[in-house]
Structures are given as structure tokens and as C-alpha cells.
Amino acid sequence: MDFNMKKLASDAGIFFTRAVQFTEEKFGQAEKTELDAHFENLLARADSTKNWTEKILRQTEVLLQPNPSARVEEFLYEKLDRKVPSRVTNGELLAQYMAEAASELGPTTPYGKTLIKVSEAEKRLGAAERDFIHTASVSFLTPLRNFLEGDWKTISKERRLLQNRRLDLDACKARLKRAKAAEAKATTVPDFQETRPRNYILSASASALWNDEVDKAEQELRVAQTEFDRQAEVTRLLLEGISSTHVNHLRCLHEFVKSQTTYYAQCYRHMLDLQKQLGRFPGTFVGTTEPASPPLNSTSPTTTAATMPVVPSVASLPPAGEAALCLEEVAPPASGTRKARVLYDYEAADSSELALLADELITVYSLPGMDPDWLIGERGNKKGKVPVTYLELLS
């Protein structure tokens, strides 16, 4: 108990000394040991890295989970070391509602069939979103969070220790300065006003005491300087490790971009497949009882856009069998042919269409009366309709 009380008193004295030194520095009444410019740059870069990492982490969490209540719930589960329950994505929930609507409204009707197809696509989109969230959380969010909760806490702890060592060092410098001033005063201005021997003895005793105080202060300064230098080196090594942190975050950023690219590519493929499937439904967009819904073979561009909002209309061309015959017999125009590069693979829906492979070059041109979303493509002796959205026109 006695030892603890002594330690408590010693800690209180150190704390008081640091508080006095810190206060005097703030009021400009004490000198402060300045760190070198390189060290200050390391500190500034570390602070900037921490601040931007926090902002990127928070905004990425918002991107992956826009619902703030859900984010708070996930945060509490993580703090309690409990597994976060599986959550249905918005796409999966929409797919569920569409499937239930199709079941109740009639799965054999054109509307019901379309609802079923769209619900299946939305379900696949929801699954892709779930995989993207999981991959991004593991490969991107977790390393950022580990830096803030691990490396940065260690750096902050060592910086606080360095600040304390600096305050101790400056306090020792101030104590030595005062001791030397008192020693000089005691040495140069002895009390000779009285001639009694007692005064000479007291003056000599005071000078000896101040000599001892100076020696003690110098010893404490050497110890404080050694501890400060050691702590500065430890902190410097940790701050220089921020470069490795940047390299690690760069690698994680590449992983995040890769997962995001995969996610959007999957979504694009799912929607293209859905678009092609809906285009093959006979009478899917044909009005039955509503007079405002014109038939598919309308040649008006406005009517076609209104009745076919998803798939480009090719109704202005002959049926599939006839189209194949006509296309083989039709010669390309003397002018108006262009080269085009295929952007994505395309599977022909029927014999009137031309299957495409990504990055291949084909010759394309348009025929009078064709839908503007389609062109005639030629590759060797093969010819067929190709969608414009799959092409990059070169010349």
C-alpha cells in the first residue's frame, strides 16, 4: 500500500509538471522542442491518411448499404461479436413481389409470364448484389477498418507517448535553466553586507546546494533526452509504415474495382438476356382489349416506341424465314457500308440474325424501312441482322 501511494504521488507530480509545461507553452512563456521538418511531414501525411480513410470507409458503407438503420444494426452485431443475419436485397424482394403478383393475376397471361421472367432476372440481380457486397466488404472495407482499429491506434498511442516525453524534456530544460540562473546569482552576488563568519558559511552553503541542483537537473535532462530520442525513433518508424499502408490500400482498391466491374457486368448480362427473352414472347406487348394499344406491325416510329419500350422493334422486316431468304438475295448498297467492331458476344435468336463474337470486325449497313436499332451485318459469306447496341462503328 505504501508503494502504491508513492507511485501515485510520483505520477501525480509528473502529470502536474507536464500540465504546467503545456500551459506555459500555450501562453508563450516556455520554450518548446520542435520536431524536424521530415517528421512533421510524416505526421501530416499520417493524419491525412487517417481522415480520408475514415471518409472513404463511411461512404463505401453507404454505397453498399444505403439504409442507415441496417448499418447501425450491422455495427452493433459486429461490436457484440455476433454473426450478422442474412438480409434480403431490394432486388430479391422485388422479385418475390413480382412472382406473387404473377401467381395471383394469372401466370399464363402475357402480363403474368412477363412478371415471372422479370422476377427471375431481378432475383439474379439481387444475388449478384449480395455477392458484390460480400466481396467488397471482405476485400476493401475490412482492410480499411483494420487500419483504423489497429495500426492507427498504435500510432496514436506512440504519438501520445512522444508528446509526454517532449513535455518531460522541455520541463527538464526549463528546470536546468532556472538552476543555472540561481547558481550564477548565488556565486556572483554573495552577502558581504555583514562581516560575521556565519554569512560566509551560509553563502557558500547556498552555492553548493545550487551546484548539486544543477548536476541533478543535468542528469535528469540527459535521461529525458535519451527517452525522447528513443520514442521519436519508434514513432518515426511507425509513421514511415504509412507508405506500406498506402500500397495495401491500393491493392484493396483494385480488388474493389474488380468486384464492382464484375457486378455491373453480371447485371448487364442478366438484363440483356431478359430483354431477348421478352422480345421472343409472342403478343407480350400487343394490346388485346385496350384500343389505345396498337398492333405490333405498326410502321409509325412513335407507336413502335410506345408499344415496345424494352426490345428494339424489327417488325418492319419480314418474318424470320422470309427475312433469311431476302437477306441472302439483297446486295449491299454502293455507298453507306461501314466497318464495326463487336463489343459483346451475341447469340442469334433466329436464322435472320447474325451471331457475333466480341472484338471481331464486320461490315454493316442499313436497308430502307429497317428499325434504326438494327443493322445488316456481313462476315464473309454470312449475313444477318445485328443490334446496334452491340457495335462500335469505326468508319
Side-chain angles (χ1 to χ4, degrees):
M1 184 66 180
D2 185 32
F3 172 79
N4 290 337
M5 289 298 297
K6 289 181 179 179
K7 185 175 184 304
L8 180 62
S10 176
D11 293 342
I14 294 175
F15 176 79
F16 179 76
T17 302
R18 291 171 179 170
V20 171
Q21 177 66 27
F22 182 80
T23 303
E24 290 179 349
E25 289 176 358
K26 289 299 182 182
F27 285 99
Q29 299 176 357
E31 296 181 359
K32 176 181 177 181
T33 300
E34 299 293 342
L35 301 171
D36 59 84
H38 177 63
F39 201 97
E40 292 289 352
N41 290 335
L42 291 177
L43 290 174
R45 187 177 66 155
D47 290 334
S48 180
T49 300
K50 180 256 184 182
N51 294 333
W52 284 112
T53 301
E54 284 183 336
K55 293 180 180 180
I56 293 173
L57 175 64
R58 287 196 298 266
Q59 193 57 39
T60 307
E61 290 176 342
V62 172
L63 173 67
L64 299 180
Q65 179 51 265
N67 188 345
S69 300
R71 292 200 304 273
V72 171
E73 180 180 354
E74 293 174 358
F75 175 78
L76 293 178
Y77 273 104
E78 291 177 359
K79 290 302 180 181
L80 296 176
D81 292 331
R82 297 178 61 184
K83 183 179 179 181
V84 180
S86 179
R87 191 185 305 277
V88 178
T89 62
N90 294 328
E92 292 172 328
L93 186 60
L94 177 59
Q96 178 183 345
Y97 290 163
M98 286 185 172
E100 293 175 357
S103 176
E104 183 173 342
L105 299 176
T108 59
T109 63
Y111 183 44
K113 290 180 181 179
T114 305
L115 280 174
I116 292 175
K117 286 296 182 182
V118 177
S119 69
E120 293 173 353
E122 292 294 338
K123 187 175 182 180
R124 290 192 292 268
L125 292 177
E129 181 184 2
R130 183 190 302 276
D131 293 340
F132 167 60
I133 292 175
H134 174 73
T135 304
S137 298
V138 173
S139 63
F140 188 61
L141 290 184
T142 299
L144 297 186
R145 194 175 290 113
N146 288 341
F147 165 72
L148 293 174
E149 296 179 356
D151 295 348
W152 182 253
K153 286 188 176 180
T154 302
I155 292 175
S156 299
K157 177 183 176 182
E158 297 302 328
R159 287 179 65 176
R160 288 193 297 270
L161 288 176
L162 178 63
Q163 174 74 354
N164 291 336
R165 295 292 182 265
R166 187 196 62 76
L167 290 174
D168 294 340
L169 175 63
D170 290 338
C172 289
K173 289 180 179 180
R175 188 181 303 114
L176 177 60
K177 185 177 181 180
R178 290 193 297 268
K180 285 185 176 181
E183 180 190 27
K185 183 177 180 180
T187 302
T188 57
V189 190
D191 187 4
F192 291 116
Q193 301 299 324
E194 297 183 13
T195 58
R196 288 179 297 177
R198 180 171 175 273
N199 293 328
Y200 293 105
I201 295 175
L202 291 177
S203 178
S205 177
S207 179
L209 288 175
W210 283 116
N211 285 334
D212 294 341
E213 184 67 21
V214 169
D215 293 339
K216 182 180 178 181
E218 289 177 346
Q219 177 63 24
E220 291 179 352
L221 178 60
R222 285 192 293 269
V223 173
Q225 185 69 55
T226 302
E227 292 181 352
F228 173 78
D229 293 340
R230 184 187 301 113
Q231 185 59 40
E233 184 63 24
V234 171
T235 308
R236 183 191 302 273
L237 292 175
L238 289 175
L239 294 175
E240 290 175 347
I242 292 294
S243 298
S244 300
T245 300
H246 288 181
V247 174
N248 183 40
H249 288 183
L250 174 62
R251 182 170 58 252
C252 296
L253 184 60
H254 279 280
E255 292 294 328
F256 175 71
V257 172
K258 180 180 178 181
S259 63
Q260 198 170 29
T261 303
T262 302
Y263 166 62
Y264 286 118
Q266 289 176 345
C267 293
Y268 182 72
R269 287 197 301 269
H270 293 328
M271 296 311 297
L272 280 181
D273 292 341
L274 175 63
Q275 194 177 41
K276 292 167 62 177
Q277 292 174 12
L278 295 182
R280 296 169 188 167
F281 276 11
T284 300
F285 298 99
V286 178
T288 55
T289 60
E290 295 291 336
S293 299
L296 266 181
N297 58 1
S298 172
T299 58
S300 170
T302 307
T303 305
T304 302
T307 57
M308 300 187 64
V310 178
V311 184
S313 172
V314 291
S316 58
L317 294 177
E322 300 179 11
L325 295 176
C326 294
L327 289 176
E328 294 296 334
E329 297 174 358
V330 171
S335 61
T337 60
R338 304 179 66 178
K339 290 291 185 181
R341 185 175 69 88
V342 179
L343 299 177
Y344 316 101
D345 293 346
Y346 178 74
E347 181 182 355
D350 51 50
S351 58
S352 67
E353 297 181 4
L354 181 65
L356 303 175
L357 294 176
D359 295 328
E360 70 173 338
L361 294 177
I362 63 174
T363 302
V364 296
Y365 54 88
S366 179
L367 294 177
M370 282 190 63
D371 190 288
D373 292 321
W374 292 80
L375 294 172
I376 302 300
E378 287 188 1
R379 182 180 59 242
N381 59 351
K382 293 184 179 181
K383 184 184 305 183
K385 302 193 302 291
V386 292
V388 176
T389 55
Y390 280 71
L391 305 176
E392 178 187 2
L393 300 178
L394 301 179
S395 62

